[in-house]
Amino acid sequence: MAGNDQTPRHVVVAGAGAVGLSTAWFLQEHGVQVTVVDRDGVAAGSSWGNAGYLAPAFSIPLPEPSVLRYGLRSLLDRNAPLYVPAKVDPGLWAFLARFAAHCNMRSWRRSMQPFVPMNNECLDAFDALTAGGVEAPTRSAPITAGFEKAEQVADLRREFDLIRESGQDVRVVESSVTEARVPQLSSHIEAVLRIEGQRYVDPGEFVRSLARSVEQRGGTIRTGFAVQDVRRERDGVVLRSADDAITADSVVLATGAWLSSLAKPLGVRTAVRAGRGYSFTVPTEEPVPGPIYLPAVRVACTPYQGGLRVAGTMEFRSPDAKLYPERIAAIERSAKPLLRGVSWADRKDDWVGGRPVTPDGLPLIGATAMPDVFVAGGHGMWGLTLGPLTGRLLSEQIVTGKQPDQLRPFNPLR
């Protein structure tokens, strides 16, 4: 039986996304046997269709004053990048009220502090994975931010200045559209910022490669296992589905936007809601040299399988709600004037996934009130960027019984 004075022999991780599989992989580095379960499959949630940014320069708490101002202006607007459906949902409105309470600079600065050491180390964790056998590469490239009006540059510069004030280095170069050498930027773009030191991946490919590595190192991955509850019994921790159960020394819940239903009975009071993002893929006339960000319309674009993945929207609905085509259409309408050489008529891979959002913008990483049960989630838009480092630090806590300093602000019982 696991405990703080004894390394667990077998850990079950619920969730086969970037966070869960990274935790499993790093547990294997400590010699722990792992089983990963998922209700659907590997990379079935946000880990497949996101923009694929590995961008510590953008990894910040989501609640901040401009988000609140923008949200109030766009509330109930079906074409806005931020959308809240007009229906009675007391739980959602209570969540959004708590989120709004954190949309001030004092809260943002306080929440930004723990992101800095995570952002400084997150790419090293990717390097550890690829050096250890994860075959999918990470690609280094600046993120090119394009602005329709030159005066819009000031808002993003101000954000980077605040990040620097928090202690994180961000390298930004202002250039002309010609100097940027991004053929997909249209003539409507007046100004460009290039954010250096970032990377990107094909997220589905990377997570599937991570899963293969876990299995090659002796781990087991079981799909079709929808966790219904977690119990502490004499023989260990029991994870139950409708018709099956698994017992282990320890359990990690990394179920993304579905985390709260399992974690709340374990003393985790901070709610996690689905901030759903949409994406699709379009062919391009010329190769895409690197990620493109369109801040004014909040659209992120990434080179993807010879074309361009286009991602955007923050939609607060159930993670199990259907895909709404009008959200895809809204992203396309907003991005189309700013990009050229894109075959919009040949769009494919329409996708929606639930980013796990917390009201204070901080992830939930660490021990719950139930012995030997841990959670890892609530990373918002940065689950891919921070997933491997989350797994490395949490595996250390599980094995040693000591909470790494970097994880103290993310205590799930806060």
Side-chain angles (χ1 to χ4, degrees), residues 60-85:
I60 62 175
L62 185 59
E64 52 104 0
S66 68
V67 170
L68 180 59
R69 292 193 298 271
Y70 184 85
L72 291 174
R73 290 199 305 270
S74 63
L75 195 63
L76 308 182
D77 179 358
R78 288 184 176 274
N79 292 316
L82 176 63
Y83 178 67
V84 180

Side-chain angles (χ1 to χ4, degrees), residues 120-367:
N120 289 340
E121 295 181 37
C122 65
L123 297 181
D124 293 339
F126 278 91
D127 291 339
L129 291 174
T130 54
V134 177
E135 295 176 350
T138 67
R139 296 175 172 87
S140 297
I143 293 177
T144 301
F147 301 86
E148 192 171 8
K149 298 178 181 179
E151 56 266 29
Q152 295 171 334
V153 173
D155 289 336
L156 190 58
R157 277 199 172 279
R158 190 177 304 112
E159 182 176 295
F160 290 138
D161 287 342
L162 290 168
I163 294 171
R164 290 190 194 96
E165 289 174 13
S166 298
Q168 180 177 327
D169 182 40
V170 181
R171 290 175 287 148
V172 179
V173 177
E174 189 162 354
S175 69
S176 68
V177 177
T178 303
E179 291 171 335
R181 296 182 179 178
V182 178
Q184 287 72 35
L185 294 179
S186 80
S187 60
H188 291 277
I189 298 294
E190 286 187 359
V192 166
L193 283 183
R194 197 171 65 242
I195 300 91
E196 305 285 355
Q198 312 304 298
R199 303 188 198 177
Y200 69 96
V201 293
D202 176 331
E205 178 192 5
F206 190 89
V207 175
R208 287 191 294 269
S209 180
L210 178 55
R212 288 193 296 270
S213 183
V214 168
E215 290 184 309
Q216 289 165 0
R217 289 148 53 101
T220 301
I221 297 177
R222 294 181 54 181
T223 59
F225 191 105
V227 180
Q228 292 189 339
D229 67 16
V230 185
R231 299 183 185 181
R232 194 77 173 81
E233 296 186 357
R234 183 174 181 179
D235 294 334
V237 184
V238 182
L239 224 60
R240 299 182 187 275
S241 69
D243 53 9
D244 202 356
I246 302 177
T247 301
D249 298 317
S250 297
V251 162
V252 178
L253 302 176
T255 53
W258 296 267
L259 183 63
S260 279
S261 62
L262 295 171
K264 187 176 180 180
L266 308 177
V268 180
R269 296 181 303 227
T270 301
V272 175
R273 299 289 301 210
R276 304 201 318 161
Y278 285 72
S279 73
F280 54 87
T281 303
V282 283
T284 57
E285 293 177 358
E286 299 183 63
V288 185
I292 302 166
Y293 180 44
L294 305 173
V297 294
R298 288 169 167 78
V299 169
C301 308
T302 317
Y304 182 72
Q305 298 183 1
L308 187 71
R309 171 169 281 178
V310 183
T313 294
M314 178 66 74
E315 176 193 61
F316 285 98
R317 294 188 194 268
S318 163
D320 293 313
K322 66 179 183 179
L323 181 149
Y324 285 80
E326 60 265 36
R327 305 302 302 156
I328 295 283
I331 296 171
E332 184 175 318
R333 280 195 301 272
S334 66
K336 188 179 290 188
L338 307 179
L339 299 173
R340 68 177 184 88
V342 174
S343 181
W344 299 100
D346 296 315
R347 190 187 80 218
K348 63 178 182 178
D349 293 339
D350 289 2
W351 173 91
V352 63
R355 310 180 192 98
V357 178
T358 62
D360 60 5
L362 297 175
L364 305 169
I365 311 169

